[in-house]
Amino acid sequence: MMEQSIHNEQELLAAAVHGDRKAFGQLVRLYQRRAYAAAYSLVGNRDDALELSQDAFVKAFKAMKRFDLSMPFYPWLHRIIRNTSLNYLKKKKRRGESSLDHMMESGFDAHDPGHSPADSATRGELLDRIKDAMEELSPEQQEILRLRHFMELSYGEIATALNIPQGTVMSRLHGARKKLRAVMEARNQEATAV
């Protein structure tokens, strides 16, 4: 099934590179949730994320002729989403609007149908604690943790998306996890001391 899916994706990509709008539309349907989640993780606002992910798909379609068919599609698309979102945030900051508040306020809205309500509540509390602790990490550390743990990209996909060597991905992830663990342990100690 997965092999067939990959095979079909290669056919869609090959057709899209040659300007096939219908094939590109199928790629959009395959990746629209991940694209939205990627944009949302950067801008923290549902409406903005929806608009930015759509803009990124338009840019991707225009750039499809330059897409290297030997490379995976999503990391390439993610770079477009990331650049589109960061440019948006820069423009918004210049206008004096605050979007980062929304980003940490609303969290990641992943749907998890496989757990009971009690499990979901526990998981939700843990995600809230992680989200709060991530505020103390650098934007670079937050981004790499989101790409690996929320969006479940492989090291290779992250390396391609961020245009850095895979070894750098691993060292940044190690540093980010270590910092996150330290922040969470410090908060736990503060909570038990009270």
Side-chain angles (χ1 to χ4, degrees):
M1 177 80 177
M2 183 70 170
E3 198 168 294
Q4 182 181 3
S5 170
I6 291 170
H7 179 70
N8 289 340
E9 183 174 317
Q10 285 301 317
E11 290 175 357
L12 292 173
L13 287 168
V17 163
H18 291 96
D20 186 331
R21 291 176 181 266
K22 193 172 178 178
F24 190 78
Q26 290 181 25
L27 289 169
V28 170
R29 281 189 288 283
L30 280 174
Y31 286 101
Q32 63 189 5
R33 286 179 168 242
R34 285 178 87 179
Y36 168 80
Y40 184 82
S41 74
L42 291 166
V43 300
N45 177 287
R46 292 168 198 263
D47 293 335
D48 292 343
L50 184 60
E51 190 171 324
L52 290 166
S53 60
Q54 290 172 349
D55 288 351
F57 278 119
V58 170
K59 289 177 182 176
F61 182 72
K62 289 179 180 175
M64 275 308 289
K65 289 181 182 172
R66 296 190 307 270
F67 178 72
D68 181 353
L69 287 170
S70 67
M71 302 296 288
F73 179 67
Y74 184 73
W76 180 77
L77 176 63
H78 184 270
R79 271 202 312 266
I80 295 171
I81 296 164
R82 183 175 185 259
N83 291 338
T84 301
S85 298
L86 293 178
N87 287 336
Y88 168 78
L89 289 174
K90 285 179 192 170
K91 286 179 187 173
K92 198 170 183 176
K93 187 176 180 182
R94 270 185 263 155
R95 291 192 308 249
E97 298 173 38
S98 170
S99 62
L100 292 177
D101 294 340
H102 291 294
M103 184 173 158
M104 290 303 163
E105 192 175 282
S106 355
F108 187 84
D109 59 347
H111 178 61
D112 187 6
H115 293 87
S116 70
D119 289 343
S120 294
T122 303
R123 183 178 160 87
E125 288 172 18
L126 178 61
L127 283 174
D128 286 344
R129 288 187 13 236
I130 291 171
K131 180 184 74 176
D132 289 343
M134 284 179 66
E135 289 181 44
E136 294 190 28
L137 276 57
S138 71
E140 186 179 78
Q141 290 172 323
Q142 292 178 28
E143 180 179 43
I144 205 155
L145 287 173
R146 282 192 188 99
L147 290 172
R148 179 68 184 141
H149 297 291
F150 291 105
M151 300 179 70
E152 300 177 352
L153 296 187
S154 69
Y155 291 154
E157 289 173 325
I158 295 170
T160 303
L162 299 180
N163 199 24
I164 57 176
Q166 197 164 323
T168 304
V169 170
M170 295 168 75
S171 66
R172 283 188 190 175
L173 265 172
H174 175 74
R177 287 174 182 146
K178 190 174 174 182
K179 171 79 177 186
L180 181 62
R181 188 178 305 114
V183 170
M184 292 187 74
E185 285 173 0
R187 289 184 175 198
N188 284 342
Q189 287 175 356
E190 287 173 12
T192 55
V194 175

